[in-house]
């Protein structure tokens, strides 16, 4: 866990190939520019958390055959 | 299709360490599938082929994912994770915001979070009565 203070235009480098630049600060809003290899997934954290929460809810140990039938298109 | 092994480099959040899954069609021609971690005790999911429920659903897969999975129009498939609440299958929803995209030839896959704001993380499978 690391806390750094940066001014507009300053950067943070993660490992060798990820660079975060403070592009602009306006009021309490910070615009960040992120350079990273294409295979590095970058998301607003609240989006990641929402998807992770939904995935966790979707993870089941087993689903009954009748529940599966209820999922079919047009099931009553 | 028959059962297939999928490899997801980043897993499925928050189960990041589960990178190998078996994708099994529930019926011979879809649209239901199960996705089961190959690690015993790992997560198991139910998925749908969204085309059977949402004909207008056209997820735009970001280019880095297209490249990473070597997707073409012929080998790409997008499936959606299903959540079933305690009230039962009639209230089931599909995650159209973050489909699992796979290359059907290689089994390489990833869960992609779509960023154009058009799709819901909980889209009801059945029309509300």
């Amino acid at each position: 866990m690391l806390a750094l203070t940066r001014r507009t235009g300053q950067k943070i480098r993660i490992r060798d190939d990820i660079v975060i630049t403070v592009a602009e600060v306006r009021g309490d809003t910070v615009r960040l520019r992120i350079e990273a290899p294409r295979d590095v997934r970058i998301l607003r954290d609240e989006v990641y958390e929402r998807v992770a929460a939904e995935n966790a809810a979707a993870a089941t140990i087993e689903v009954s055959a009748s529940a599966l039938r209820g999922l079919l298109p047009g099931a009553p | 299709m028959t059962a297939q092994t999928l490899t997801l480099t980043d897993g499925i959040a928050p189960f990041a360490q589960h990178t190998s899954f078996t994708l099994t069609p529930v019926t011979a021609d879809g649209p239901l599938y199960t996705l089961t971690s190959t690690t015993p005790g790992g997560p198991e999911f139910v998925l749908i082929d969204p085309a059977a429920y949402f004909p207008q659903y056209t997820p735009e897969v970001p280019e880095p994912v297209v490249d990473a999975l070597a997707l073409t129009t012929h080998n790409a498939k997008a499936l959606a994770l299903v959540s079933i609440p305690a009230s039962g299958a009639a209230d089931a929803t599909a995650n159209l915001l973050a489909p699992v995209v796979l290359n059907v030839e290689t089994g390489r896959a990833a869960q992609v979070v779509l960023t154009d704001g058009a799709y819901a993380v909980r889209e009801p499978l059945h029309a509300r009565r």
Side-chain angles (χ1 to χ4, degrees):
Chain A
M1 171 61 188
L2 179 67
L4 301 171
T5 301
R6 305 272 66 194
R7 297 177 177 285
T8 304
Q10 292 186 313
K11 308 181 185 202
I12 296 168
R13 182 174 293 265
I14 297 171
R15 285 203 291 251
D16 291 332
D17 52 1
I18 299 172
V19 178
I20 303 174
T21 305
V22 179
E24 183 182 7
V25 177
R26 197 182 291 194
D28 61 0
T29 301
V30 178
R31 185 157 59 85
L32 302 171
R33 186 168 61 242
I34 304 156
E35 300 160 78
R38 304 189 90 205
D39 61 340
V40 176
R41 185 190 61 198
I42 300 168
L43 295 170
R44 291 172 173 80
D45 187 62
E46 63 271 20
V47 173
Y48 172 86
E49 290 292 348
R50 184 68 188 92
V51 172
E54 193 61 28
N55 289 341
T60 58
I61 305 304
E62 58 184 287
V63 176
S64 68
S66 61
L68 286 176
R69 278 195 295 276
L71 297 175
L72 291 170
Chain B
M1 60 173 284
T2 55
Q4 177 173 18
T5 300
L6 299 190
T7 305
L8 288 81
T9 309
D10 293 331
I12 294 178
F15 310 100
Q17 69 276 23
H18 290 265
T19 57
S20 178
F21 288 82
T22 303
L23 179 70
T24 308
V26 172
T27 52
D29 49 0
L32 294 180
Y33 300 82
T34 60
L35 186 70
T36 305
S37 172
T38 57
T39 303
E44 177 177 337
F45 303 94
V46 174
L47 296 91
I48 57 163
D49 183 343
Y53 299 79
F54 312 104
Q56 281 81 36
Y57 182 62
T58 47
E60 247 189 69
V61 182
E63 262 198 53
V65 179
V66 172
D67 292 346
L69 304 185
L71 297 179
T72 68
T73 49
H74 301 294
N75 68 21
K77 197 171 184 68
L79 301 176
L81 293 162
V82 171
S83 295
I84 304 178
S87 52
D91 297 323
T93 60
N95 184 345
L96 299 187
L97 174 69
V100 173
V101 177
L102 63 136
N103 178 324
V104 300
E105 291 163 358
T106 64
R108 299 209 51 213
Q111 182 177 33
V112 173
V113 181
L114 304 175
T115 52
D116 58 4
Y119 298 116
V121 70
R122 284 188 181 174
E123 186 67 45
L125 293 191
H126 305 302
R128 300 236 186 269
R129 280 176 237 99

